[in-house]
Amino acid sequence: MDPAGPAARDIAQLWWWMLGYGSIVWLVVIALWCYALLRSSRQRDEASSRRTAARWIWGGGVLLPFVSIALLLAFGMPAGRAPVDAGVPPLHIEVTGYRWGWEVRYPAAGRQLAGELVLPVGRAVAVDVSTRDVIHGFWVPRLGVKVDAIPGRTHRVHLRADRAGVFHAPCAEFCGPGHAHMSLRVQALPAEEFERWLHAKGPTAAPASTPARAPAASTAPVARSRRTRLPATRPTCTPNSSASGATPPAGARSPSSPRQ
């Protein structure tokens, strides 16, 4: 995973801390298991056995889970905070899912895109996610945001991109036959380039760094050429047709045949 925003970076750091702590706990458990297998057996009185059992219950069953959950919350809660820019209001964007695509609107600028989300680098963005039909999943892995689009509800997520680039955002909830091909193209542009694109003329102009798309094929019907039919001609019999090797029609007499 290559984080491209503060939320994704915090989630990646949290994952590494969890992996390290889990590895330590696993090594301790394996060491205790080996000790229990290799230790020499000896007789203990009932009181000593109860004290040992109580230590394992309170230490391994109460103290260890409590410390683990407390550490997880201490590192995990800051990872879920919304990015805030001092003195700069977040950019408001509306994203609506449908089978099987995404519609993106910029209410303040009156722009609308299909299948593409354009963000400014270094600025907080508030995205309102909704759906027209079934449940969809808005997920941008490299920016660390994921929320379900549920019919009848609007969920808001906050994100910010720290670097320019193009990120893949697949739908995270199975929504029918076209689910595998339902993806959103997220492009982060430098702040100045984004402002030029946002206030450019035309409601659906593409960003400057976006390659131009090929024009759609024309759907107008192609005019068919009419064929000119020539009148059918019948073969005629000439006097020298026998000399040329042609067979005279039935019932016709040759000029050289005698009359009867």
Side-chain angles (χ1 to χ4, degrees):
M1 181 178 179
D2 184 15
R9 184 170 58 251
D10 293 343
I11 293 174
Q13 292 177 357
L14 177 62
W15 185 88
W16 285 111
W17 279 105
M18 291 175 60
L19 178 63
Y21 183 77
S23 300
I24 294 175
V25 172
W26 180 79
L27 291 175
V28 171
V29 171
I30 295 300
L32 293 175
W33 176 65
C34 293
Y35 170 75
L37 290 177
L38 300 177
R39 70 174 183 172
S40 58
S41 59
R42 57 182 179 177
Q43 296 293 333
R44 292 185 178 183
D45 56 355
E46 185 177 355
S48 177
S49 299
R50 288 182 178 179
R51 287 194 299 269
T52 303
R55 284 197 297 266
W56 282 110
I57 291 175
W58 285 100
V62 177
L63 183 61
L64 179 61
F66 178 81
V67 173
S68 301
I69 295 176
L71 291 175
L72 179 61
L73 291 177
F75 285 95
M77 291 181 66
R81 67 181 184 274
V84 178
D85 297 332
V88 179
L91 176 66
H92 181 214
I93 301 177
E94 297 177 356
V95 176
T96 304
Y98 60 90
R99 293 184 295 185
W100 288 272
W102 297 95
E103 181 181 278
V104 181
R105 293 187 300 272
Y106 299 78
R111 301 185 71 90
Q112 182 173 334
L113 298 176
E116 185 174 10
L117 173 63
V118 183
L119 306 173
V121 174
R123 181 180 176 183
V125 179
V127 182
D128 290 340
V129 182
S130 60
T131 177
R132 293 179 184 172
D133 35 51
V134 298
I135 297 178
H136 300 287
F138 177 76
W139 180 37
V140 189
R142 293 191 59 188
L143 297 182
V145 293
K146 181 181 183 296
V147 67
D148 287 344
I150 301 177
R153 298 183 182 181
T154 299
H155 294 163
R156 172 167 291 189
V157 292
H158 298 267
L159 56 89
R160 186 175 67 191
D162 289 342
R163 67 177 72 171
V166 178
F167 316 122
H168 180 59
C171 179
E173 295 289 345
F174 180 75
C175 52
H179 166 73
H181 304 285
M182 181 178 176
S183 63
L184 180 67
R185 183 178 184 268
V186 181
Q187 182 175 6
L189 298 176
E192 297 180 357
E193 185 177 353
F194 175 80
E195 290 297 330
R196 289 196 302 267
W197 169 81
L198 186 64
H199 299 288
K201 295 181 180 180
T204 57
S209 58
T210 304
R213 298 181 179 179
S218 175
T219 58
V222 179
R224 297 182 178 178
S225 59
R226 296 182 178 180
R227 296 181 178 179
T228 304
R229 295 184 177 181
L230 298 176
T233 57
R234 296 181 179 180
T236 58
C237 181
T238 57
N240 57 351
S241 60
S242 59
S244 59
T247 304
R253 290 189 305 172
S254 175
S256 58
S257 59
R259 296 184 179 180
Q260 296 181 359

